[in-house]
Amino acid sequence: MAQARKYIYDSLGADFLEASVLDLEIILDESESGVPLICLLSTGSDPSAQIEAMAKGRAQECKSLALGQGQEEIARRMLNEGLQNGNWLMLQNCHLSLSFCDEIMQTMMDAHNINPAFRLWITTEVNKKFPIGLLQMSLKFTNEPPDGIRASMKRTYTDITQDILDYSNHPAWSSLLYTVAFLHTIVQERRKFGPIGWNIPYEFNRADFSASNQFVMNHLDELDPKRGISWQTIQFMLGEVQYGGRVTDDYDKRLLNTFTSVWFNETVLVQGFKFYDGYTLPECKTIEEYNEFINNLPTQDIPEVFGLHGNADISYQINTVKGLLDQIIEIQPKEGGGGSAGESRESIVGKIAEDMLSKLPELYSPHEVKAAMERLGGQQPMNIFLKQEIDRMQRILKLIKVSLIDLGMAIEGTIIMSDYLKEVLDCMFDAKVPDKWTKISWSSSTLGFWYTELIQRDAQFKSWMNKGRPKVFWMTGFFNPQGFLTAMKQEVTRSHKGWALDNVITQNLITRYSKDEINKHPPEGVYIHGLFMEGANLDKRTGKLVESRQKILYEAMPVIYIYAINTASGKDNKLYSCPIYRKPLRKDINYIGSIDFESDVNPKHWVMRGVALLCDIK
């Protein structure tokens, strides 16, 4: 990607590397009354407010309607009225009513004597079933969020007028306006770093910025001069309501509140305040001065500006190129030959299937499992957990065995190649895990990693069954790690008279040992290994969090001792509560729990770094 940018720069010039700000006025001047204008929506950009503002500026009536179930009749009437009366019509979210899109196309083609002032604006998300005829007869535009802080700030300030700058006499107004704009840019830009930026990529858009601005305006208007600005109110409204209203993940909410608490306080009014080196708060009076200041911002942003470590840029580059390569693989022809020495896809996959079958672990014998449970102590919490894990593993092993045998027979022509077997064949050829397998197991980047993990998981369960409880557990190898921690808590609770499970919480101790150095069971609780840290490193001597090493994205953790205590008191605020996820995708479904780490810096630093523990990095 860097070389592509260099090539464009050398051959076409720097202008072609900068995102141009969409100018709807130019698009409108090119349009005609009989040609619809279609906006293809992208994350965080909705032109509705701009279209309405443009209509207002031209003293043109603009009616809008969001399409959906049961809205077709109203849309039909509004369209016919607009064609006659010459008002503008904006139909939003047309991808939700594709059948009506065909009708729009027909109506526009059949219409005679269209009022010259009429314009039809359509917004839609990209949809493969969108009528191609309507696309061909329309003017199409999209408004992707610009890449980089400078481009994003430039776009934000195109809609800010001198009147808005002069709105309030309060000395903090222009600084707060710029800080809200900077926050808006950072929350949007962090998305590009993937899970270390935001667990869930939210569609923060123009409306969030406008609502936040309006709130700050109102707050300064109603201010009691003696009491001054209520920073807590501003922090709460931005972090919990204006931007926080979109946020559904608890750790994302914590990150957003950290940004608002760090940037919206008394220090923002102190001269020399800066968000990061090179990103200061300007002292400007006119909109031209602000635009000039923004134009002088760095062209390339370093991850530290977003609160992240420099390694996050490597993650971003990897994710970008992976997406690019995945798309190239996706559009490769699926039929016909290919492969080495003229081998067909079928023969290549046939050999892979044979190899996988030869290495597939044996199915579990119900009698052996039952005998092992009695030997391990019967209906104890940990044994019940093990039995549930084995049941799920048995289900996967059966499915794979049947699928691979059937696939081999279908390739030979003994049975018919069903849609499911064709999907398995395509996935195995592309080294991907078939959907049906993923649904009852776990996700993985390639089939090879997935199959290796299957064999390792099975080995842990069989060792536990036959040789007794492991001294150190490989938590990555569990289908339900939360169930494992709950079983541990139940076990500890039962061993202490008078303890109630509701009052028991998990605690942890970071040891200095590797799994091979552990030679006996803990007195209570469990030892776990196999975790990786993203976003920070661990000082092996002190057990405290320190900055990541350059170019090392994931750090292997030593053995961690997890136990339970009976307490009603909360957690220590000086500790960083680090979430644990099964996979690099930090979704709720992958969340396991949290572990506390000590640190010499404020825990907010690690929140902005996006520090988390991962069971698996593939």
Side-chain angles (χ1 to χ4, degrees), residues 422-476:
K422 189 169 184 322
E423 186 214 335
V424 173
L425 187 143
D426 284 343
C427 286
M428 285 175 68
F429 187 76
D430 291 339
K432 291 182 177 174
V433 187
D435 280 348
K436 200 168 179 181
W437 298 8
T438 305
K439 273 178 187 165
I440 62 167
S441 61
W442 56 91
S443 60
S444 199
S445 56
T446 69
L447 183 61
F449 287 142
W450 184 89
Y451 202 71
T452 305
E453 191 172 326
L454 174 86
I455 293 166
Q456 289 171 340
R457 285 177 178 228
D458 174 76
Q460 176 167 252
F461 296 145
K462 284 187 173 145
S463 169
W464 190 347
M465 258 177 59
N466 301 322
K467 297 178 185 174
R469 178 170 169 162
K471 297 179 181 68
V472 187
F473 291 92
W474 181 49
M475 202 157 74
T476 309

Side-chain angles (χ1 to χ4, degrees), residues 67 101 108 122 143 222 233-234 271 344 385 433 445 579-580:
L67 285 180
C101 290
M108 295 296 285
I122 291 172
N143 193 14
E222 296 158 11
T233 307
I234 292 178
Q271 196 162 9
S344 68
F385 166 76
V433 187
S445 56
I580 311 173

Side-chain angles (χ1 to χ4, degrees), residues 448-571:
F449 287 142
W450 184 89
Y451 202 71
T452 305
E453 191 172 326
L454 174 86
I455 293 166
Q456 289 171 340
R457 285 177 178 228
D458 174 76
Q460 176 167 252
F461 296 145
K462 284 187 173 145
S463 169
W464 190 347
M465 258 177 59
N466 301 322
K467 297 178 185 174
R469 178 170 169 162
K471 297 179 181 68
V472 187
F473 291 92
W474 181 49
M475 202 157 74
T476 309
F478 296 139
F479 293 97
N480 180 13
Q482 295 100 314
F484 170 70
L485 294 177
T486 304
M488 181 275 294
K489 278 165 65 177
Q490 288 173 330
E491 194 176 65
V492 174
T493 306
R494 287 183 184 184
S495 67
H496 290 269
K497 200 174 179 183
W499 282 23
L501 189 62
D502 291 347
N503 298 332
V504 171
I505 62 166
T506 57
Q507 290 281 85
N508 60 269
L509 181 69
I510 315 297
T511 75
R512 298 181 188 179
Y513 307 113
S514 67
K515 67 170 178 134
D516 299 326
E517 294 172 310
I518 302 289
N519 49 29
K520 61 179 182 179
H521 293 95
E524 60 180 28
V526 290
Y527 288 128
I528 62 165
H529 77 96
L531 295 183
F532 297 88
M533 180 173 281
E534 185 180 21
N537 190 10
L538 189 73
D539 185 326
K540 302 289 190 292
R541 197 170 43 80
T542 61
K544 293 182 179 181
L545 287 181
V546 290
E547 291 291 2
S548 299
R549 291 182 288 171
Q550 289 297 326
K551 299 187 180 179
I552 296 177
L553 302 183
Y554 305 106
E555 296 281 359
M557 288 289 101
V559 168
I560 298 173
Y561 174 39
I562 300 183
Y563 57 100
I565 59 168
N566 189 30
T567 178
S569 63
K571 298 259 179 149

